[in-house]
Amino acid sequence: MDGNLTLHLANFSTLFVCMVLKFPQIFALMRARATAGVSLNSLLLELLGFIVFMSYQMFYDYPPVTYLEYPILIAQDVIVLLLILHYNRNMKHSLIYAALFVGGWQLLTVQKWVIDLAMSLCTFISAGSKLAQLQCLWRSKDSGQVSALTWALATYTCLARIFTTIITTGDAQVLIRFVVMSILNMWVTVTVIYYKPHAVKQD
């Protein structure tokens, strides 16, 4: 009974956190009207990783509660993407990105081997997203408008998903992904915090 209660708490706390996960980042961008320190490549890779991961879970009929946050995260990432394109005056690219993501989403579930291959690459795609953000921070040495709170919340959701995956599906690919994402999210969080004083001093 206690185990079930802990599982429910982990599932619903993850869902709740994900409902507001990107809000600090969205508000930071809207407040500054600038995208300093935010990596577009990181966001695009993250979106791709989310789409692949959610498609895999749906394809194999995993319990919806184990991936219910992903439509919410995708919607929030799209808002962040539009803000970045808007403030960088690149809104014309939004239609290209939309066509690529929607087309790719449809192709993922055409054949079983396609979704299995995509999932096997998903950890590398998602890891690439975090490394692209880290590279952007290392290059600029300025965390600018990057929200440490968003990355800290992302770390929590990945840690919670390690627990729920072990209890529910035990899928090794999914588990490895969450372990790697937890480590990289923590790394980005620490890096954002480290460079924040530099950003303040430059203002």
Side-chain angles (χ1 to χ4, degrees):
M1 187 68 177
D2 288 341
N4 284 337
L5 178 60
T6 306
L7 178 61
H8 288 318
L9 285 173
N11 278 324
F12 286 108
S13 66
T14 300
L15 180 59
F16 175 75
V17 168
C18 286
M19 288 174 70
V20 297
L21 185 83
K22 297 287 182 172
F23 281 22
Q25 184 62 76
I26 290 169
F27 294 149
L29 288 170
M30 292 176 68
R31 185 167 53 249
R33 296 182 176 275
T35 62
V38 181
S39 170
L40 176 60
N41 290 335
S42 172
L43 183 65
L44 293 173
L45 286 170
E46 181 176 76
L47 257 173
L48 179 59
F50 285 166
I51 289 170
V52 169
F53 187 75
M54 187 178 74
S55 299
Y56 176 84
Q57 301 268 62
M58 293 173 68
F59 186 85
Y60 283 103
D61 292 322
Y62 281 1
V65 73
T66 63
Y67 63 85
L68 199 57
E69 68 268 23
Y70 281 87
I72 301 169
L73 290 172
I74 289 169
Q76 291 179 57
D77 263 358
V78 168
I79 294 172
V80 175
L81 175 60
L82 291 174
L83 286 172
I84 291 173
L85 294 176
H86 173 67
Y87 293 132
N88 290 342
R89 295 188 172 91
N90 284 326
M91 280 300 288
K92 60 186 177 183
H93 293 159
S94 60
L95 291 176
I96 298 172
Y97 291 133
L100 288 172
F101 279 117
V102 171
W105 204 334
Q106 295 300 314
L107 288 173
L108 281 173
T109 53
V110 170
Q111 295 285 339
K112 180 181 180 295
W113 70 267
V114 175
I115 190 66
D116 286 343
L117 176 61
M119 186 59 196
S120 68
L121 297 173
C122 187
T123 299
F124 297 102
I125 294 169
S126 297
S129 164
K130 316 307 176 187
L131 293 173
Q133 181 59 64
L134 283 167
Q135 185 182 41
C136 182
L137 290 167
W138 294 332
R139 190 187 304 119
S140 65
K141 300 188 186 303
D142 180 354
S143 57
Q145 311 315 316
V146 184
S147 170
L149 179 57
T150 286
W151 286 96
L153 291 173
T155 302
Y156 167 77
T157 62
C158 286
L159 291 171
R161 280 305 178 207
I162 291 172
F163 171 73
T164 60
T165 301
I166 291 171
I167 299 299
T168 53
T169 65
D171 190 311
Q173 282 196 95
V174 174
L175 191 58
I176 290 169
R177 179 184 181 276
F178 281 127
V179 170
V180 173
M181 293 306 97
S182 297
I183 294 168
L184 291 176
N185 281 335
M186 280 188 271
W187 193 357
V188 175
T189 303
V190 170
T191 305
V192 170
I193 293 169
Y194 176 77
Y195 284 125
K196 277 295 181 187
H198 296 268
V200 171
K201 290 176 184 177
Q202 290 172 2
D203 288 341

